[in-house]
Amino acid sequence: MPAQDVRELRIVGFLCNWCSYGGADTAGVGRFTQPTDLRIIRVPCSGRIDPLFIVRALMNGADGVLVSGCHPRDCHYAEGNFYARRRLEMLKRFLPITGIDERRFEYTWVSASEGQRWQHVVTEFTRRIHELGPAPSFNPKSDVDWNALAVQASQGQGCPCHGSIQA
Amino acid sequence: MSQLDDLKTAIKSRLGDLECVIGWEQGYDPLHATPLFIRSEADLDRLIIGPLAVHNLATYLTGWKGKKVGVVVKGCDSKSVIELLNEKLINRDDVVIFGLCCDGVVSQRKIRAALPADPGFVESVEIGADSLKVTVAGQAATLRLDDVRADKCRVCDTPDALVSDFLIGKAHTPAPAPSLKCQDEFEAKSDAEKFAFWQETMGRCIRCYACRNACPMCVCRDYCIATSRDPLWVSQENLPSENMMFQMIHVSHLAGRCTECGECERACPVDIPLMLLRRYMNKQVRDVFQHEAGKALDQTPPLLTFKVEEERINERGW
Amino acid sequence: MRIGVFICHCGSNIAGTVDCPSVAATALTYPDVVFSTDTMYACSEPGQDAIIQAVKDKNLDGVVVASCTPRMHEQTFRRAVERAGLNRYMFEMANIREHVSWIGKTKDLNTGKAAELVRMAVEKLRRNRPLMAKRFETTKRVLVIGGGVAGIQAALDCADGGQEVVLVEREQSIGGKMAKLDKTFPTVDCSSCVLGPKMVDIAQHPNITLYTCAEVESVGGYVGNFQVTVRRKATHVDWTKCTGCGLCVEKCPSRKHPDPFNENLCNAPSINIPFPQAIPKKAAINASSCLMLTKGKCGLCAKVCPVKCIDFEQKDELVNVDVGAIVVATGYDLFDWHKYPQYGEGRYKDVITSLQYERLLSASGPTGGHIKRPSDGKEPKNVVFIQCVGSRDKSVNRPYCSGFCCMYTAKQAILTKDHIPDSQSYVFYMDIRSPGKLYDEFVRRAMEEYGAQYVRGRVAMIYPKGDKLVVRGADTLAGTQVEVPADLVVLAVGAESAKGAVQLGEKLRVAPDQYGFFVESHPKLKPVETNTAGVFLAGACQGPKDIPASVGQGSAAASKVLGLLSKAMLESDPAVSRVNPARCVGCGKCIQTCPFGAIKEIQDRFGNPKAEVIDTVCQGCGICTVTCPQGAIQLEHFTDNQILAEVNALCPPKMFANFE
Amino acid sequence: MEKFITKENLNRLAAELAATCRVLAPVADCGTVTFRRFQPGMVMDLHSRMAAVSPKAATFPQTETLLVVKREIPEKKPEIIETLPEGKNVVIGCRPCGARGKLIFDPVYETDKIKDPYYLQRRKNTVFISLACDRPETTCFCHSVGSGPADPSGSDVLLTLVGEGYVARSVTPEGEEIMKMALFADAGDKGKEADAKNAKAREMMGEAHDYASAPAKLLARFDDMDFWLAQSAKCISCGACTYMCPTCYCFNITDDDLGLSSQRIRTWDNCMSHTFTLEGSGHNPRSTKAHRLKNRVGHKFSYYPDLHKGVIACCGCGRCIKQCPAGVDIRQIVNAAQEYAE
């Protein structure tokens, strides 16, 4: 793994081949300058994007994950983005309970002709992630971090469910 | 006749056509019940119901697929049966449902917290109408059932089985609490606090998959993607991140399907409050799709369908 | 594996902002990469030859090319690795041009990003496996949607090429917009004289089945095997009997609804044949105005009809057609100019559209070819033409140029002078767009030989003065304001996408652009293809076009169809879903979510239900893969493990740390 | 050696040892009790209940990195780094049954032919300071598997609660070494009190069950799948029993690779899981939970004793019973086999 440049954060993109990947291409053809943090994974359809890919990326330490597909009704496969919309919305709404900042994940729709919109989306999302800063690691980074958590737990802190009888 | 007698009569009337009827009996000590597989009338003597009969027996149904069995269900368990039927994971003709009108079950964790000594030292238990008299390590204690009721019972709006061939007991007028204090308190915490909490609890998780296997809706079982190499989603390494990844798989596969029976949390040998995740996901599903798994027959899980215009998903402006 | 990596400079397109040799050197540290180099143009013939040579010399079994977008050259390189003896799916591309060099300014960051994209491609390739295409038969029949000039041309070319054609037209007659025109630029020849014979050919061609008053109801299937349902709307006339004699049209007492063929300049009978050259020349009843159908009394047409073909009970009819390819030629509609307050929003009868003017010019039109203004039937002397009404105007969301208005305005100015020699035409314009053979000469003729006065500027308002309309506008060349008293104002209304195009696009899985025109596969290299295999575009449904361009596209689409259907068998994309029966628990969730009906339930030898994919029906979207909780159904070439490998390449999982 | 240590000093002992060793101690962990790496400031929970998990991880961690492979470029030879466990471990406050678990491991991990360096290194470097039980839980049956509530075997130091402290008795030289620390005081005549307490605890357990006939009787039921189907009906095939068990020693080895590097890890395996015996072909000789439960019970009470001098591969801690989500009781199953009327 080449050392990551400190100027960049780790942003993973999942883009459908037909619309959004094309939109990113259109942005490139139009030389619409964008921040370089984003790395794009091409999938055939937003319906192929398992929300768990996004979770896996976040668990692995991604600072942000951006998903983009065809606008609703424009799916190349007719229905893929309709399923994707439900799945992704559920993930986005679920993240807060895990303590992962839901702003680190976003999904949107960009068509193959919307190069400028893509530039806007990437620029804004990257700016947001930089404002949030590097994501905390789920595995405590050092023994010190780890110990602090364990001591807290042994003193009965942090958990709302135990100890008291009245729920 | 008592509810138990009625149940026994009902089971007796159908036992001949069935491979077995799944109920409960007393377990290894007076405080614990265990599932009972009734194959003969003699087995019926051991049948118990009541606040200690906590297990959701619907979990066993997919394992009996293709055979005719009976199952005793509480209101909450009946939702799991409905969801299994809706997903065509079991065949209605193969299952005889003995539905109970349920007065609620206990939380062993709360009993432990309420007793003067660990319930491991229990000597005797007397179940009263609204109390539980427990003798533990030589000390007697009377617990109000209300105090040690499972969380799910506090917010239960379906005490009586929603689907059944026999409905046994007196119907209830449910009076659910609007929400659980522990859930509200946890949700109100900051991201950093919640994150640290899961880091710590997932550090305790031993990934025994009791939560998964106790879940009536986890029908992949042997073929769960958390234990396969192809696809390889989760490392065998027992890291908090991998343990959390598994929980995320579980919650994501249950989105719109979870009937909130609480078996995952009950099964956890290290007491991880998994229902914090489940209840939160279910709340989102309710908010967005107005869907509650297991509440009605012939519902489609919301993630297996879509609407062209989603009234409750706001497309975020970019 | 033995992987070779090729980093393309694309001249300076990539190398300008990416250190290609450094990326190539970094790639050598990636797993299974045994060869890595940079190359000037990977897609060029020497570039491809170098890849093929390296595969042979280095005994490679997988190739990564980092260059432009795979949407551009993935097929090119797949064919190259195939020529080198590898399976075409043992190839991956990293897009370091559109996604790196063209959008990032900082060279070192670009270089790092390029290296990571290559790493991602390598990790994916390590999990690729050879895939073989399945072959399947095609239906030798073509559906052409839209009977305007583009659709007519496509239908005739396909039919002449030996294919059966089903032509579906929404209106009562084919001919489209062109049938309404009087003359065409730049030759000023008679529109119906040019189009008429082609329309007759459609009617007479043995290979063509024509459905007018018909619309596409639904489309299923896939390239080579589409199942289309066509709704034939009730005409209340049995067309198998109707001879087109016109007796009913003459006798119809209900003549109060506007005539759409004549752009509502006059009224039409409730049973009508829209124009003399209509194909098919059959009468149809307008159900919303027919006295019999609305009030239940009349039935005069039925009484006079010599062949007794009137059928008031007739219902819509659904016709199923199996076709192998589809040509979409649904044309355009005119912008609704009433949105502009400055042109009176419809208050002035003598402000008309250019197409209405065509009908006034036409010998078959409501005035028999004499120009009479709508308000009082007088012959206008001063005619003002206003261009760019609904074109090149962001304020009405029509920023594009409709392309043909400048030319038809010049034509109409010329024709005005021909019809009324003592008339004077004025043309308010923004710029004159007249590229094309003999086009600019034609405009100059309008100005120089026919004395049309061209005023460069926008019109600010039109107001009535006596029986005239005063057109007030700017003359930006003279720098003054001008007012022209007009007897008639003709608006050169721009083109917009046809009504219903978006809904049709949903059925065909062809995306419209933001204005509702269908998006072609590539703006330069695939102008008539769409992203849905087997569906082609012709004419103005893809964007505003004049007649020659529409006819050209009609022929182009036909040649694509003929090329497609000339193959005895088609190859299916092997990147389809596949079920691992050992993992499948037979829950049927994938069957439920598949939009194509490509998954069926089977029983294994123990009688357990399992899912099975129908290869030729599967389109490779992967919805099922996400639906399946056990990961038992995997989309080939985009499996969970392949995508996870990419995720892990970008975000390395935490390892080598034991927390207890 | 016999000494006395106050409750306070035991906590100090843990803190002092933690400076140089990895100390594992039972701590209240958000409603449960687990073994955690002890940190100053932590509160040990020695008495409320037996820890949910066993102290097995001290000598046999759930995840153990066996080796790490690193390579610079594909063409180069990889560098292989063995990762033998380093440092000393001390387990404080486990029960005698938990400390005894490793005695079941020993004959498997150290034979004439095979010596497992990872296990042996940890075994050598780990000291167990156990606490004798003063009252049996309903699931306890250590006395039936050749042990008891104050069994010193497997421990290095055995503590018995007496008043506000513990009587400490050394079992091994390593234990004696620790007891030389100043935190330990003279026991005086507290030893007798301790003996009395231990005897009382044993008495409370009642008569031991005789498992002598179990190996043969279980073997006799080997082909009786109806028996095992009935016994396993309530089992849900999870791994709570095996992962909690102090004596379950089965493991799985997997390679996690990331680019040119990889790690080979050994993790606890679970014989109740479908994947335990899943073969590469897809065939699974233990395809149902009945097959798998038969193996688990059979292994502990029949096959292992047959191989290892009659020793039952169970320490009687009862965790598998208590923690089982479905209440499967291994005692009942063995009894059923023993009492089976042919």
Side-chain angles (χ1 to χ4, degrees), chain C residues 301-622:
Chain C
C301 48
K303 285 181 201 124
V304 302
C305 179
V307 293
K308 300 293 167 216
C309 64
I310 310 294
D311 175 7
F312 292 113
E313 302 299 311
Q314 200 182 54
K315 296 270 179 308
D316 287 7
E317 183 193 354
L318 294 177
V319 183
N320 294 317
V321 197
D322 289 346
V323 297
I326 299 174
V327 176
V328 188
T330 48
Y332 66 97
D333 272 318
L334 291 182
F335 175 78
D336 178 10
W337 61 274
H338 294 89
K339 288 174 191 163
Y340 282 111
Q342 59 266 46
Y343 307 136
E345 296 168 310
R347 286 193 303 278
Y348 316 126
K349 278 190 168 172
D350 294 330
V351 178
I352 62 173
T353 69
S354 47
L355 201 55
Q356 286 176 321
Y357 196 55
E358 288 288 339
R359 295 311 301 152
L360 293 181
L361 291 167
S362 170
S364 69
T367 55
H370 302 293
I371 305 174
K372 295 174 179 174
R373 62 183 202 169
S375 61
D376 52 13
K378 282 187 193 158
E379 192 173 70
K381 297 298 174 198
N382 272 8
V383 180
V384 172
F385 295 91
I386 302 173
Q387 292 200 175
C388 295
V389 177
S391 295
R392 302 178 65 194
D393 187 350
K394 271 191 180 170
S395 70
V396 292
N397 193 31
R398 295 288 180 273
Y400 54 85
C401 172
S402 295
F404 47 59
C405 321
C406 289
M407 294 309 299
Y408 73 60
T409 301
K411 175 194 75 182
Q412 291 177 341
I414 288 173
L415 291 175
T416 307
K417 196 78 177 174
D418 277 347
H419 280 246
I420 311 169
D422 59 343
S423 66
Q424 174 63 51
S425 294
Y426 300 86
V427 179
F428 282 88
Y429 71 103
M430 286 165 71
D431 300 287
I432 298 298
R433 301 272 167 98
S434 56
K437 200 168 174 179
L438 297 175
Y439 280 19
D440 204 52
E441 296 93 314
F442 184 73
V443 177
R444 295 232 73 86
R445 266 171 63 206
M447 296 177 186
E448 289 159 11
E449 290 177 29
Y450 290 83
Q453 275 211 36
Y454 272 68
V455 183
R456 190 176 192 278
R458 301 290 286 174
V459 168
M461 69 181 294
I462 299 173
Y463 63 93
K465 195 173 186 183
D467 66 346
K468 283 186 189 298
L469 294 167
V470 180
V471 179
R472 178 191 290 165
D475 183 339
T476 55
L477 294 180
T480 59
Q481 200 168 66
V482 290
E483 287 202 344
V484 182
D487 298 307
L488 183 67
V489 177
V490 179
L491 303 177
V493 177
E496 65 181 20
S497 61
K499 285 173 190 64
V502 174
Q503 290 76 6
L504 179 66
E506 284 175 23
K507 292 174 190 162
L508 292 164
R509 302 196 296 277
V510 175
D513 67 15
Q514 63 201 103
Y515 308 112
F517 293 109
F518 295 127
V519 177
E520 65 282 7
S521 206
H522 189 281
K524 294 174 189 68
L525 303 177
K526 292 182 172 178
V528 298
E529 290 95 324
T530 68
N531 280 335
T532 301
V535 179
F536 303 95
L537 303 175
C541 65
Q542 179 261 352
K545 265 174 209 65
D546 61 10
I547 293 165
S550 296
V551 172
Q553 272 209 338
S555 286
S559 82
K560 286 288 165 189
V561 169
L562 293 173
L564 179 75
L565 297 184
S566 68
K567 295 176 188 134
M569 305 276 275
L570 283 184
E571 285 196 343
S572 68
D573 189 337
V576 295
S577 287
R578 192 166 307 280
V579 178
N580 175 354
R583 295 189 68 77
C584 176
V585 300
C587 68
K589 291 189 170 78
C590 52
I591 300 173
Q592 204 172 340
T593 55
C594 176
F596 307 101
I599 311 173
K600 61 181 177 189
E601 185 179 305
I602 55 157
Q603 296 205 326
D604 70 5
R605 59 199 171 97
F606 306 109
N608 300 315
K610 300 281 173 186
E612 190 176 83
V613 175
I614 310 163
D615 279 25
T616 49
V617 183
C618 177
Q619 298 292 293
C621 64

Side-chain angles (χ1 to χ4, degrees), chain B residues 4 243 273:
Chain B
L4 181 61
N243 299 344

Side-chain angles (χ1 to χ4, degrees), chain B:
Chain B
M1 277 208 293
S2 73
Q3 196 182 11
L4 181 61
D5 292 334
D6 287 345
L7 176 61
K8 284 182 178 173
T9 310
I11 293 176
K12 214 176 280 180
S13 73
R14 297 300 299 273
L15 194 54
D17 324 327
L18 302 172
E19 199 77 30
C20 71
V21 175
I22 314 171
W24 304 270
E25 63 175 320
Q26 194 198 301
Y28 59 85
D29 70 24
L31 199 52
H32 290 86
T34 184
L36 168 68
F37 293 75
I38 304 160
R39 290 160 211 270
S40 67
E41 288 194 12
D43 294 339
L44 264 178
D45 296 341
R46 282 144 59 199
L47 180 68
I48 63 161
I49 53 175
L52 299 181
V54 291
H55 313 78
N56 180 355
L57 304 174
T59 299
Y60 293 104
L61 289 179
T62 45
W64 291 87
K65 208 178 171 187
K67 292 183 177 145
K68 278 190 187 298
V69 294
V71 65
V72 187
V73 293
K74 308 183 286 288
C76 48
D77 310 338
S78 75
K79 289 195 287 179
S80 310
V81 177
I82 289 176
E83 192 61 23
L84 288 169
L85 288 169
N86 285 348
E87 295 182 28
K88 297 174 185 65
L89 295 163
I90 54 172
N91 192 343
R92 182 67 182 87
D93 298 336
D94 290 346
V95 188
V96 177
I97 303 165
F98 302 93
L100 296 179
C101 298
C102 166
D103 294 319
V105 295
V106 299
S107 154
Q108 292 287 353
R109 187 177 304 143
K110 286 183 189 163
I111 290 179
R112 181 194 299 147
L115 286 176
D118 193 83
F121 307 110
V122 68
E123 284 151 19
S124 70
V125 176
E126 274 174 56
I127 302 169
D130 49 12
S131 68
L132 210 56
K133 194 174 164 197
V134 185
T135 309
V136 55
Q139 308 166 63
T142 303
L143 311 178
R144 269 164 32 96
L145 268 176
D146 264 352
D147 291 341
V148 293
R149 215 176 280 293
D151 286 342
K152 65 172 172 181
C153 302
R154 294 182 195 278
V155 289
C156 175
D157 58 352
T158 58
D160 308 335
L162 295 176
V163 62
S164 60
D165 297 291
F166 300 87
L167 185 61
I168 293 153
K170 241 174 65 190
H172 293 80
T173 312
S179 65
L180 287 170
K181 193 163 143 253
C182 62
Q183 186 78 20
D184 298 343
E185 274 176 17
F186 187 75
E187 286 175 19
K189 284 174 185 286
S190 71
D191 272 356
E193 286 174 307
K194 286 184 272 194
F195 194 75
F197 173 76
W198 291 115
Q199 282 182 308
E200 200 282 328
T201 39
M202 288 301 133
R204 179 165 93 220
C205 168
I206 52 169
R207 234 191 303 157
C208 64
Y209 298 117
C211 50
R212 178 190 76 188
N213 289 23
C215 173
M217 298 318 300
C218 272
V219 293
C220 306
R221 297 281 160 84
D222 295 350
Y223 301 100
C224 176
I225 57 168
T227 46
S228 79
R229 298 295 284 181
D230 183 11
L232 177 58
W233 282 88
V234 188
S235 162
Q236 288 298 299
E237 191 167 3
N238 190 39
L239 283 174
S241 62
E242 301 305 296
N243 299 344
M244 188 65 179
M245 187 67 208
F246 165 67
Q247 289 303 338
M248 293 297 284
I249 290 174
H250 198 172
V251 89
S252 133
H253 286 174
L254 279 175
R257 303 173 63 239
C258 171
T259 57
E260 242 173 83
C261 70
E263 285 291 90
C264 49
E265 184 171 302
R266 185 189 66 76
C268 181
V270 291
D271 289 357
I272 296 173
L274 295 168
M275 288 304 289
L276 291 174
L277 301 174
R278 306 280 178 271
R279 288 190 213 105
Y280 192 72
M281 180 56 108
N282 281 3
K283 191 153 94 183
Q284 308 314 313
V285 170
R286 269 199 306 277
D287 282 358
V288 178
F289 306 119
Q290 280 107 54
H291 179 95
E292 285 185 71
K295 277 285 181 72
L297 284 163
D298 300 321
Q299 294 188 115
T300 305
L303 294 191
L304 298 184
T305 180
F306 62 84
K307 281 186 190 164
V308 173
E309 302 289 342
E310 301 278 7
E311 297 94 357
R312 297 194 167 221
I313 298 179
N314 294 323
E315 306 289 342
R316 291 169 186 82
W318 275 91

Side-chain angles (χ1 to χ4, degrees), chain A:
Chain A
M1 198 72 215
Q4 202 184 317
D5 196 293
V6 289
R7 290 165 289 171
E8 282 188 345
L9 289 174
R10 178 63 54 194
I11 304 178
V12 181
F14 292 94
L15 270 63
C16 82
N17 178 53
W18 301 100
C19 292
S20 294
Y21 197 91
D25 285 350
T26 306
V29 173
R31 310 296 199 277
F32 300 148
T33 309
Q34 299 154 42
T36 53
D37 311 44
L38 177 75
R39 312 281 189 260
I40 294 171
I41 295 176
R42 182 169 71 127
V43 291
C45 175
S46 52
R48 174 65 191 94
I49 301 167
D50 196 324
L52 292 169
F53 288 136
I54 296 148
V55 176
R56 187 71 266 186
L58 291 170
M59 281 292 142
N60 284 6
D63 300 309
V65 180
L66 178 63
V67 169
S68 186
C70 306
H71 288 277
R73 291 172 187 272
D74 291 352
C75 177
H76 177 68
Y77 303 101
E79 297 175 357
N81 52 6
F82 291 138
Y83 287 104
R85 180 168 58 186
R86 288 194 158 202
R87 295 164 178 164
L88 298 170
E89 178 71 11
M90 280 299 104
L91 175 67
K92 182 149 179 72
R93 283 166 164 266
F94 181 73
L95 283 178
I97 197 80
T98 65
I100 296 171
D101 196 321
E102 43 108 9
R103 288 172 295 178
R104 293 192 184 276
F105 161 58
E106 196 56 80
Y107 72 97
T108 186
W109 320 118
V110 172
S111 80
S113 59
E114 294 176 320
Q116 269 180 319
R117 184 177 149 83
W118 178 249
Q119 177 194 35
H120 173 72
V121 166
V122 174
T123 310
E124 282 306 304
F125 188 69
T126 309
R127 184 197 326 224
R128 179 200 286 183
I129 297 304
H130 277 268
E131 274 167 19
L132 292 173
S137 164
F138 198 83
N139 295 322
K141 273 211 170 75
S142 67
D143 275 0
V144 178
D145 295 355
W146 190 246
N147 293 349
L149 286 172
V151 171
Q152 260 181 30
S154 83
Q155 294 164 352
Q157 292 171 12
C159 173
C161 285
H162 301 98
S164 88
I165 295 177
Q166 285 297 333

